Amino acid sequence: MLRRVTLHQLRLMAALARHMNMTRAAEEMHMTPSAFSIQIKQLAESLGLPLHEQAGKKLYLTEAGRAAAAASRDMIERLDLLGMELAEIQGFERGCLRLAMITTARYFATRLIGDFCRDHPKIELVLEVVNRDQILERIRQNLDDLYIMGRPPEEPDVVAIPFIENPLVVLAPASHPLCAEKRIEPARLESEAFILREPGSGTRQVTERYFVEHGISPATRMTLGSDETIKQAVAAGLGLAVLSRHVLALDAPSGALRELDVQGFPLMRQWYAVHLAAKKLSPLATAFLTLLKDSRERG
């Protein structure tokens, strides 16, 4: 039965697992939904088990479907790796590098990615910019080669390599009275309203830990899932925020935001390059990881 399974069908199954939607998966593979559905049905017949089920408008993979999707990803990854290894033997670089990173990382990582693409002009680079929950799910599904994030997961088993510091600072609108003060005591923040990242965000967790350690409980004015939106809210005078200093660097010319000199800040964290411990890195992924390590050594 397995001898009738085609590589094309496995690629379709991997796409279905990524999107959990027949129409969107078909669009990615440049097929009509009906043609895509027929191929998935034929794959299910070859395997002898249903691969998905529909509950209302939502699609779910069966146990067999999840197993088929995992096998599909493993086979596709190995073939992609083979292509890169053969290209390397031939003396030129081709292939695809898949990266995913937390939204805040884009303030500095895009420059490194640009440098890498200029040094390797023949490659294809696929980049996903997502929140923490989404990146954890991508790690669990082994969808990418490398992940850039501020706090590595405890599960699954990963290799996490620190490569650049990520200082968190308190941001205020330029007109805020505290901007003119030095060595601001944490208690002074008690009366301020804060704009926080979404629950589960590493930045939010570190911020709330600081509040607890210093015995303060500032009001939460609002919760937002985007650093850009938070910056706009702070500039509009809606509250203070704790964000990466990398975020402030790009807004320095506008002068709309200021970093407050609060005792205990900056809260020092690290950016990490993460990959599954069991994953064999492709030559491209290894080269990009080397670039990140070099950026750490350059400071």
Side-chain angles (χ1 to χ4, degrees):
M1 299 290 282
L2 290 177
R3 282 180 292 182
R4 296 208 299 268
V5 173
T6 68
L7 178 60
H8 179 60
Q9 289 172 339
L10 294 178
R11 292 189 184 277
L12 300 187
M13 188 65 213
L16 183 61
R18 280 195 298 275
H19 295 282
M20 299 300 285
N21 180 285
M22 196 75 72
T23 300
R24 289 200 296 270
E27 289 174 354
E28 179 190 328
M29 303 304 293
H30 306 291
M31 298 174 65
T32 65
S34 59
F36 187 95
S37 178
I38 289 171
Q39 288 293 316
I40 294 296
K41 182 179 179 181
Q42 290 176 351
L43 176 61
E45 290 173 352
S46 296
L47 298 178
L49 290 167
L51 302 178
H52 66 88
E53 54 191 12
Q54 200 82 23
K57 295 184 177 180
K58 195 166 180 62
L59 182 144
Y60 298 89
L61 296 185
T62 63
E63 183 177 357
R66 291 191 295 272
S72 298
R73 289 192 294 267
D74 289 344
M75 293 180 187
I76 293 167
E77 179 184 342
R78 189 63 192 91
L79 285 173
D80 288 344
L81 182 59
L82 174 61
M84 293 179 197
E85 290 172 345
L86 293 176
E88 193 174 39
I89 291 171
Q90 289 175 300
F92 56 86
E93 292 180 322
R94 296 185 187 275
C96 178
L97 175 62
R98 295 185 178 275
L99 303 176
M101 64 184 180
I102 296 294
T103 52
T104 307
R106 70 184 186 274
Y107 292 103
F108 69 89
T110 48
R111 174 183 57 81
L112 296 174
I113 291 171
D115 291 343
F116 187 76
C117 289
R118 282 188 290 273
D119 291 340
H120 305 80
K122 295 180 180 180
I123 71 167
E124 176 187 0
L125 192 143
V126 179
L127 174 64
E128 297 287 341
V129 182
V130 295
N131 63 30
R132 181 171 175 82
D133 287 342
Q134 291 169 324
I135 209 168
L136 292 177
E137 182 58 28
R138 296 187 71 86
I139 292 173
R140 283 191 287 268
Q141 294 190 37
N142 190 25
L143 296 182
D144 310 280
D145 297 306
L146 293 170
Y147 306 87
I148 298 175
M149 57 197 308
R151 181 166 51 91
E154 295 179 3
E155 295 289 342
D157 188 19
V158 298
V159 174
I161 301 164
F163 66 92
I164 193 172
E165 289 187 341
N166 178 26
L168 301 184
V169 299
V170 183
L171 299 186
S175 59
H176 198 285
L178 289 177
C179 291
E181 299 194 23
K182 300 294 184 183
R183 300 289 298 164
I184 301 166
E185 295 183 0
R188 297 284 300 281
L189 302 179
E190 180 82 47
S191 60
E192 300 291 337
F194 272 76
I195 303 165
L196 300 180
R197 285 294 304 261
E198 73 282 1
S201 159
T203 299
R204 177 165 180 157
Q205 291 178 351
V206 172
T207 301
E208 291 178 335
R209 188 181 307 129
Y210 176 89
F211 291 161
V212 171
E213 290 174 352
H214 290 84
I216 59 176
S217 54
T220 300
R221 173 68 53 79
M222 60 182 68
T223 297
L224 299 172
S226 161
D227 290 333
E228 284 298 319
T229 308
I230 290 177
K231 287 193 304 181
Q232 293 170 16
V234 172
L238 297 179
L240 307 183
V242 176
L243 291 177
S244 171
R245 188 177 278 159
H246 293 119
V247 172
L248 180 62
L250 293 185
D251 284 282
S254 73
L257 301 174
R258 291 286 189 276
E259 176 184 335
L260 297 185
D261 184 14
V262 179
Q263 294 179 25
F265 281 88
L267 304 175
M268 296 307 300
R269 302 177 71 212
Q270 292 279 337
W271 287 109
Y272 292 87
V274 175
H275 64 83
L276 286 171
K279 189 178 187 71
K280 178 175 171 56
L281 294 182
S282 69
L284 281 179
T286 301
F288 187 74
L289 193 55
T290 299
L291 173 69
L292 296 183
K293 292 176 181 177
D294 289 345
S295 71
R296 175 184 61 189
E297 293 171 0
R298 291 194 303 266

